[in-house]
């Protein structure tokens, strides 16, 4: 089955800095890669996703890049703000059945 | 997001007790999932269902069972709860697209 590794487990940055979270996956059949944000005490919510036919996708301050050859994808957050503090999860899934495998999460702390 | 609801939100039970966690959705989605979240372990899939007659085991189904009573309802049961089932449990749904929508979670403590 699919295995998703996520690093780092904790990331501490100063407000205004950039943050990068990296994930690797094992199954070359995976073709959909969502990222979820989970604020303290809340449910995970999708913030951005990317499909395997695209190398990069941006949405305001967040972007995701995908390297299919190396089987890794990354989340980039620019100009971080304290409200970006949360746990971020990456996931990988194959189209059709869509049974996502999640990474273990990255706790992002943005210091004012 | 009130479209996916879970009851109860918090539950304390004792070892050996049978408990049921319930999930309801008004999104009209066919696909429903149960996940367990433990600190540092991410979200792990317990069971999933693609329609009322379809039930599938996830990676950690031992000790759990599910029931899909209707398109909108998917329940998770712990037949005989044990302390290592203490965790945060999430229900999720998915429609035609890939996006999963999570419920608010049920925090379970097994003493």
């Amino acid at each position: 089955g699919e295995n998703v590794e996520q690093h780092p487990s904790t990331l501490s940055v100063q407000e205004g800095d950039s943050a990068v979270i990296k994930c690797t996956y094992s199954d070359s059949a995976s073709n959909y890669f969502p990222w979820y944000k989970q604020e303290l005490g809340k449910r995970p919510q999708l913030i951005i996703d990317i499909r395997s036919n695209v190398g990069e996708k941006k949405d305001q301050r967040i972007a995701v890049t995908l390297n299919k050859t190396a089987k890794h994808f990354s989340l980039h957050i620019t100009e971080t703000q304290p409200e970006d503090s949360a746990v971020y999860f990456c996931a990988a899934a194959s189209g059709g059945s869509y049974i996502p495998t999640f990474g273990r999460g990255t706790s992002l702390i943005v210091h004012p | 997001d009130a479209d996916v609801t879970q009851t109860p939100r918090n539950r304390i039970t004792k070892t050996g007790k049978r408990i049921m966690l319930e999930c309801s959705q008004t999104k009209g989605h066919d696909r429903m999932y149960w996940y367990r979240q433990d600190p540092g372990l991410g979200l792990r899939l317990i069971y999933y269902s693609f329609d009322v007659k379809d039930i599938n085991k996830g990676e950690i189904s031992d000790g759990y069972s599910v029931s899909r009573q209707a398109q909108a309802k998917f329940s998770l049961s712990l037949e005989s709860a044990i302390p290592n089932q203490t965790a945060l449990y999430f229900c999720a749904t998915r429609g035609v697209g890939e996006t999963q929508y999570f419920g608010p979670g049920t925090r379970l403590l097994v003493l």
Side-chain angles (χ1 to χ4, degrees), chain A residues 2 6 9 31-32 34 36 38 40-46 49 51 87 89 91 93-105, chain B residues 1-5 9 31 33 35 37-38 40-45 48 50 59 88 90 94 97-105 107:
Chain A
E2 175 66 276
Q6 182 172 347
S9 58
N31 58 6
Y32 177 67
Y36 287 84
Q38 185 180 27
L40 188 63
K42 300 289 183 64
R43 72 192 77 191
Q45 291 191 301
L46 180 75
D49 56 15
R51 302 174 198 282
V87 177
F89 293 99
S94 299
S97 62
Y98 188 76
I99 308 299
T101 299
F102 286 84
R104 294 191 172 198
Chain B
D1 188 339
D3 292 340
V4 185
T5 58
R9 295 294 311 279
R31 306 181 185 205
Y33 309 75
Y35 289 93
Q37 184 176 26
D38 299 276
L41 295 181
L43 293 157
R44 294 183 292 166
L45 184 64
Y48 62 99
F50 285 172
E59 64 177 296
L88 180 58
F90 285 103
R94 178 189 160 222
E98 291 89 352
T99 303
Q100 282 185 309
Y101 296 90
F102 286 83
R107 194 169 296 277

Side-chain angles (χ1 to χ4, degrees), chain B residues 9-101:
Chain B
R9 295 294 311 279
N10 295 279
R11 178 74 184 269
I12 300 174
T13 191
K14 295 182 179 180
T15 297
K17 294 291 188 181
R18 182 182 188 276
I19 67 164
M20 179 182 289
L21 310 182
E22 298 185 337
C23 176
S24 294
Q25 52 112 348
T26 58
K27 288 186 168 294
H29 291 169
D30 289 327
R31 306 181 185 205
M32 300 186 73
Y33 309 75
W34 275 104
Y35 289 93
R36 167 178 173 159
Q37 184 176 26
D38 299 276
L41 295 181
L43 293 157
R44 294 183 292 166
L45 184 64
I46 306 172
Y47 271 95
Y48 62 99
S49 168
F50 285 172
D51 63 42
V52 175
K53 298 180 181 179
D54 177 73
I55 300 290
N56 303 279
K57 293 183 178 181
E59 64 177 296
I60 56 165
S61 60
D62 287 349
Y64 302 94
S65 63
V66 292
S67 173
R68 184 79 184 268
Q69 302 96 319
Q71 185 203 37
K73 296 184 181 295
F74 193 34
S75 299
L76 176 71
S77 293
L78 286 67
E79 298 301 325
S80 180
I82 56 177
N84 77 359
Q85 291 178 313
T86 292
L88 180 58
Y89 291 85
F90 285 103
C91 171
T93 72
R94 178 189 160 222
V96 174
E98 291 89 352
T99 303
Q100 282 185 309
Y101 296 90

Side-chain angles (χ1 to χ4, degrees), chain A residues 33-87:
Chain A
F33 307 92
W35 285 88
Y36 287 84
K37 176 184 180 181
Q38 185 180 27
E39 297 177 353
L40 188 63
K42 300 289 183 64
R43 72 192 77 191
Q45 291 191 301
L46 180 75
I47 55 171
I48 195 168
D49 56 15
I50 191 168
R51 302 174 198 282
S52 59
N53 60 346
V54 176
E56 184 176 5
K57 183 177 180 180
K58 292 183 180 180
D59 183 2
Q60 299 183 330
R61 294 186 298 108
I62 61 173
V64 58
T65 59
L66 171 65
N67 183 326
K68 288 169 50 181
T69 302
K71 295 195 185 72
H72 66 71
F73 56 113
S74 301
L75 178 70
H76 305 254
I77 305 174
T78 59
E79 302 174 18
T80 55
Q81 301 168 3
E83 51 265 39
D84 293 329
S85 296
V87 177

Side-chain angles (χ1 to χ4, degrees), chain A residues 1-49:
Chain A
E2 175 66 276
N3 181 50
V4 177
E5 299 283 343
Q6 182 172 347
H7 298 281
S9 58
T10 304
L11 179 59
S12 183
V13 300
Q14 289 295 128
E15 182 177 0
D17 289 348
S18 295
V20 181
I21 302 170
K22 298 181 179 182
C23 290
T24 60
Y25 62 100
S26 61
D27 189 352
S28 57
S30 291
N31 58 6
Y32 177 67
F33 307 92
W35 285 88
Y36 287 84
K37 176 184 180 181
Q38 185 180 27
E39 297 177 353
L40 188 63
K42 300 289 183 64
R43 72 192 77 191
Q45 291 191 301
L46 180 75
I47 55 171
I48 195 168
D49 56 15

